[in-house]
Amino acid sequence: MKQANAYLATIMLALVAGLGGNVPALAAATQAAPIRYDAARRVFRIDAGKVTYAFGVNADGELQTLYWGSRLMAGDPLPVAVPPAPRSSFDPVGADTPQEYAGWGGPITVMPDLKVHFADGNRDLVLRYDSYRIDDGKLQVMLHDRRAGIDVMLNYSVDAATGIIGRSARIENHASQAVTLDRAASASWNLPPATDYSLRYLTGTWASEWHVRTRPLTPGATELESRRGSTGDENNPWFAIERGAQWNESHGRVWFGALAWSGSWSIHVDQDVLNQVRVTGGYDPFDFSYRLEPGQGLDTPVFYAGYTDDGIGEASRLMHQFERDRILPAHGHPKLRPVLYNSWEATGFKVNEAEQERLAGKAAALGVERFVVDDGWFGARNSDHAGLGDWTVNREKFPHGLKPLIDKVHALGMSFGLWVEPEMVNPDSDLYRRHPDWVLNFKGRPRSLGRNQLVLNLARDDVSQYVFQVLDELLSRNDIQFLKWDYNRNWSEPGWPQQAPDRQQQVYVTYVRHLYDIIRRLRERHPGLEIESCSGGGARVDLGIMGLTDEVWPSDNTDPSDRLSIQDGFTYAYAPAVMMAWVTGSPNWVNGRSSSLDFRFLSAMQGGLGIGADILKWTPAEDAVARRYIAAYKDIRATVQLGRLYRLLSPQGHAPRSATESVAIDGRQAVLFAFLRQGQDAQAYPTLYLQGLDETARYRYRLIHGKAAAGTPAVASGAYWMHHGIDLELRNDMDAAAAVFERIGTAGNVRR
Ligand code: GLA
């Protein structure tokens, strides 16, 4: 197998090199084999999208990164791998080699990917190249420390469209003694040495998620991390590193990536004294310990990363495309988000059959397509003090079960959704009274509450089986199309007393694997079921959970002004295709800010539109406004959700003005949103220059809301809208406008 691949790879290389300047043929040839191995030079090379990635085997047998950047020509030679020369007795050869995946052992001083200790006290692990295979467009490179008996398989997958590469590792113990992994990363990404990098990352907290932060990289480390047991919102497992002072939305070299993992995680960004930058990501090493008996193995999550020359805006668009095509369960055919109604902000826990039916009737009349019953429908759930864990319908609130409401919702032409928080339990619940040992805890130690609840230990087989069964029954007995899957606290006291002490910390891995397994099995058993990942807002958004869910709830903060920043930050890493946004009441409960229904709708229309207001209190005039926006949204949602997003004016840092533009994948429509949070001394709103249009096509524009400057043409070329731009008249506090540009044909010879 290996021999055959090496032979084929060499032939392909010779073939491609011989093509000379024949670019289309060359492109076709490289497309046919995005991953190649040059056996003579011992160089692996990946060409995909606009990216080339290469690494080689150096004379010491280490796997060394050679290149990661814009696509090279097929014939371009890549140097063989040579480790940095020794500089002093403190940095001998091998200390700071930019290895693809390094064990902690030998003279190494850079951040290792894998650190182990054996039962006999040995902690030295030196990983060397063994072999490779290319199967089904995927590369697997085998490393080993033969004497220690540890094998590591590095997996590389490639997305031909975006050039995003996925990397993970499988660590196997072939020794005769047990080994404990103290640190197990998925991969390290090495950037070219430089002193002018800056790191962009996302940070936040409940109701204030998705703030974009930038800091210069200097020698030293930055640890982006969650120690919370789940993804968290303090940092999100995404990074972007940009080179030089000139980067912005549409210019500059950007290396970016994200981890597909919903448990504790770490992305460690290190710039060493040689100005080498290394990004190591995977399981959070904090409190990590994973014991492998002889013959056992551990797989890491996938760490995805990409590159672009075209600024952070393009980096985001590549991520969005990759998520739609490769991550989301619908794999390249994401279903459009239906317009949703949810009464949580209107009714809280006071849900009941009669009122929910009234709300459903009104929602359907407004054009809503999915009706969701939130918290409060089950057990003794009248507040957040009781009931979690008891997933049986509360008969005081729904005397006839959920069926009459579900039937009514369906009869009104809407799909039906239900809120669940399956991983949690209130101590005041039948489940906890029956199984107090089912939660994460340390024997004999206090159990810290968060929102009056404890975390069920899904790592236990019995607990995860129970959770699956309860949900499977709920979905089998009721005709439910959608679950809002909530998760409202961090872990504390993450003990697993039923396990042997040296296996208890496996809870960090096993819990999340069981969670994924439950959702995967539910989806298999109930095809068509859609799921939203919610974690008190946006505390569980990552490429891992995204692979099993259809949408996410970015924040409990529904103030439409705060939301502009929240949604903007979200889009750096994640696609608008999954970003839900609701129109709720004014003044908003978060900050008492009042806003017009127009502003609230336009802000929420940047994502998957939902209504969360008490619509029974809306006046006929408000109903008419809502009907009009919902209809307008249906007309543009494919563009907003699946199109190419351009961030024209940033709302970050409480900026008063912000604007976005989305261009449909087929180029037929573009949608522009512009907001003014606070009027600025009667100053004019800046001219907005559209992007991503066809210069030679003609576009007719119409306003959904707002006013354009007098003389704005109804029809003009893409060149006009992109170079002349459009002037919108936004002057007042909390003002907003939206416009749609429809392509109506070619402009002829507009650029002579
Ligand atoms: C979390 C969610 C909210 C709502 C409540 C219900 O806070 O983020 O949207 O579902 O739980 O308790």
Side-chain angles (χ1 to χ4, degrees):
M1 179 69 220
K2 186 180 94 190
Q3 291 300 325
N5 275 331
Y7 178 70
L8 262 178
T10 316
I11 301 249
M12 186 55 78
L13 201 72
L15 186 80
V16 167
L19 287 170
N22 185 344
V23 176
L26 179 145
T30 49
Q31 258 169 28
I35 305 178
R36 286 165 296 149
Y37 180 58
D38 178 347
R41 303 171 74 83
R42 305 230 283 175
V43 169
F44 292 91
R45 175 171 167 166
I46 299 174
D47 294 285
K50 295 183 178 170
V51 176
T52 295
Y53 185 86
F55 56 94
V57 184
N58 67 25
D60 287 335
E62 291 161 341
L63 220 54
Q64 184 175 335
T65 311
L66 293 174
Y67 177 77
W68 182 22
S70 258
R71 184 128 174 194
L72 305 177
M73 299 305 285
D76 284 337
L78 280 158
V80 296
V82 179
R87 294 177 59 257
S88 73
S89 56
F90 295 97
D91 17 45
V93 175
D96 36 33
T97 305
Q99 290 191 57
E100 286 281 292
Y101 197 89
W104 188 69
I108 187 172
T109 54
V110 296
M111 178 55 80
D113 296 273
L114 184 59
K115 182 182 176 308
V116 306
H117 69 265
F118 288 92
D120 68 1
N122 172 35
R123 305 195 305 282
D124 187 50
L125 182 75
V126 180
L127 295 172
R128 293 290 185 257
Y129 174 73
D130 174 58
S131 56
Y132 82 98
R133 52 195 291 161
I134 300 173
D135 261 337
D136 199 18
K138 294 197 167 107
L139 169 67
Q140 198 170 60
V141 183
M142 269 63 82
L143 306 178
H144 63 195
D145 181 327
R146 189 151 289 159
R147 222 186 296 170
I150 297 296
D151 283 4
V152 177
M153 264 148 279
L154 304 184
N155 302 302
Y156 293 78
S157 63
V158 189
D159 179 39
T162 59
I164 291 179
I165 297 171
R167 294 180 52 194
S168 65
R170 174 169 177 79
I171 302 138
E172 287 180 0
N173 179 13
H174 294 286
S176 53
Q177 58 175 332
V179 63
T180 300
L181 314 184
D182 306 313
R183 167 178 200 106
S186 305
S188 281
W189 300 96
N190 296 296
L191 277 66
T195 52
D196 57 352
Y197 283 122
S198 51
L199 169 70
R200 221 186 266 249
Y201 61 103
L202 293 161
T203 178
T205 180
W206 175 78
S208 179
E209 300 91 339
W210 306 107
H211 294 282
V212 184
R213 296 277 187 265
T214 306
R215 63 166 69 160
L217 282 185
T218 51
T222 302
E223 182 97 14
L224 305 175
E225 185 190 26
S226 165
R227 296 185 297 273
R228 297 163 183 249
S230 72
T231 320
D233 43 23
E234 192 173 349
N235 292 145
N236 184 270
W238 169 88
F239 75 92
I241 296 177
E242 296 156 78
R243 176 89 202 266
Q246 298 307 318
W247 50 262
N248 59 32
E249 278 290 320
S250 45
H251 297 288
R253 298 170 196 265
V254 187
W255 293 259
F256 56 93
L259 264 174
W261 186 242
S262 312
S264 288
W265 58 271
S266 137
I267 295 180
H268 182 95
V269 184
D270 210 344
Q271 177 162 348
D272 69 14
V273 283
L274 304 178
N275 297 317
Q276 300 186 125
V277 172
R278 181 170 172 83
V279 184
T280 306
Y283 294 125
D284 189 17
F286 180 85
D287 199 34
F288 185 85
S289 174
Y290 200 100
R291 185 180 159 97
L292 296 178
E293 299 299 332
Q296 289 185 333
L298 173 69
D299 292 291
T300 72
V302 184
F303 194 5
Y304 293 100
Y307 171 80
T308 178
D309 278 343
D310 297 325
I312 187 72
E314 184 63 12
S316 298
R317 287 186 289 276
L318 289 167
M319 282 292 286
H320 300 170
Q321 182 181 349
F322 179 70
E323 289 156 10
R324 291 193 307 264
D325 292 352
R326 301 277 166 216
I327 300 288
L328 282 167
H331 277 305
H333 307 283
K335 286 191 233 142
L336 291 174
R337 298 296 88 221
V339 179
L340 166 159
Y341 181 77
N342 179 312
S343 72
W344 170 248
E345 285 197 22
T347 61
F349 296 96
K350 289 194 188 116
V351 290
N352 63 63
E353 184 179 309
E355 197 184 12
Q356 291 290 307
E357 286 193 1
R358 271 203 306 283
L359 284 163
K362 180 85 185 264
L366 297 176
V368 167
E369 299 158 313
R370 170 169 288 167
F371 187 82
V372 183
V373 175
D374 209 280
D375 199 349
W377 59 269
F378 54 90
R381 188 72 170 168
N382 296 312
S383 72
D384 59 17
H385 285 262
L388 276 181
D390 300 339
W391 300 105
T392 45
V393 179
N394 181 313
R395 290 282 167 167
E396 278 165 35
K397 299 178 184 180
F398 296 90
H400 316 98
L402 291 173
K403 191 169 185 321
L405 174 62
I406 295 179
D407 288 348
K408 163 115 191 189
V409 166
H410 288 162
L412 288 164
M414 298 184 290
S415 60
F416 181 81
L418 198 61
W419 181 94
V420 288
E421 194 178 358
E423 299 154 77
M424 300 287 170
V425 64
N426 286 120
D428 186 359
S429 68
D430 293 342
L431 184 69
Y432 190 75
R433 281 183 280 274
R434 270 202 317 275
H435 297 290
D437 56 331
W438 274 15
V439 296
L440 293 174
N441 73 95
F442 288 119
K443 208 168 171 188
R445 304 288 305 166
R447 302 172 180 195
S448 303
L449 294 174
R451 208 194 188 202
N452 311 301
Q453 63 198 51
L454 294 165
V455 183
L456 288 171
N457 184 358
L458 246 54
R460 288 176 54 140
D461 289 338
D462 51 357
V463 176
S464 69
Q465 266 162 31
Y466 174 83
V467 169
F468 171 78
Q469 265 164 24
V470 165
L471 292 170
D472 185 39
E473 267 174 46
L474 184 67
L475 294 166
S476 303
R477 292 200 182 139
N478 300 283
D479 194 1
I480 294 170
Q481 286 71 51
F482 171 80
L483 288 181
K484 173 175 172 178
W485 188 300
D486 214 337
Y487 179 89
N488 276 312
R489 60 160 293 179
N490 300 314
W491 288 13
S492 58
E493 301 97 17
W496 184 358
Q498 297 77 17
Q499 273 282 16
D502 56 7
R503 289 198 162 264
Q504 289 191 13
Q505 281 151 290
Q506 297 188 6
V507 69
Y508 287 104
V509 175
T510 312
Y511 180 110
V512 181
R513 296 230 177 276
H514 282 179
L515 168 69
Y516 288 168
D517 196 51
I518 291 169
I519 303 179
R520 192 175 296 116
R521 285 163 62 209
L522 286 173
R523 293 189 76 111
E524 275 164 20
R525 296 249 310 152
H526 305 276
L529 174 72
E530 292 200 341
I531 300 176
E532 175 179 279
S533 173
C534 173
S535 178
R540 190 152 69 188
V541 184
D542 58 79
L543 296 185
I545 203 76
M546 196 182 276
L548 293 159
T549 54
D550 303 273
E551 60 184 55
V552 299
W553 183 231
S555 179
D556 276 356
N557 186 340
T558 54
D559 169 62
S561 172
D562 285 357
R563 266 285 177 147
L564 295 177
S565 315
I566 288 170
Q567 292 168 186
D568 174 82
F570 182 95
T571 66
Y572 277 76
Y574 302 108
V578 299
M579 181 179 81
M580 296 306 290
W582 296 353
V583 173
T584 57
S586 173
N588 189 276
W589 67 275
V590 173
N591 48 26
R593 186 179 284 128
S594 296
S595 55
S596 66
L597 202 47
D598 298 300
F599 194 100
R600 279 178 274 155
F601 261 102
L602 293 179
S603 169
M605 283 161 71
Q606 289 189 312
L609 176 64
I611 316 287
D614 191 349
I615 50 178
L616 294 178
K617 296 210 178 97
W618 277 1
T619 63
E622 287 172 316
D623 291 348
V625 171
R627 258 196 303 274
R628 192 174 72 76
Y629 277 112
I630 291 171
Y633 179 72
K634 289 176 183 169
D635 205 36
I636 59 165
R637 75 172 139 189
T639 303
V640 169
Q641 293 179 20
L642 310 180
R644 290 169 59 75
L645 176 74
Y646 297 87
R647 293 180 291 252
L648 303 184
L649 289 178
S650 169
Q652 293 296 322
H654 306 287
R657 308 176 184 92
S658 65
T660 61
E661 178 204 354
S662 305
V663 180
I665 294 292
D666 65 7
R668 286 208 194 144
Q669 190 184 62
V671 179
L672 178 69
F673 290 104
F675 299 92
L676 181 62
R677 286 163 159 163
Q678 203 177 21
Q680 303 287 305
D681 308 327
Q683 284 173 16
Y685 202 78
T687 302
L688 295 175
Y689 301 100
L690 271 67
Q691 295 185 37
L693 303 183
D694 175 354
E695 290 200 338
T696 63
R698 292 168 70 75
Y699 297 82
R700 184 190 303 283
Y701 107 98
R702 67 187 154 84
L703 285 161
I704 294 179
H705 178 73
K707 220 169 141 195
T712 303
V715 175
S717 68
Y720 179 92
W721 298 120
M722 292 197 289
H723 307 314
H724 174 279
I726 182 167
D727 292 302
L728 295 169
E729 297 201 343
L730 296 177
R731 278 180 205 281
N732 303 332
D733 287 359
M734 299 293 282
D735 219 348
V740 185
F741 299 77
E742 309 277 4
R743 195 175 67 192
I744 55 170
T746 49
N749 196 11
V750 284
R751 295 188 89 207
R752 273 168 245 273

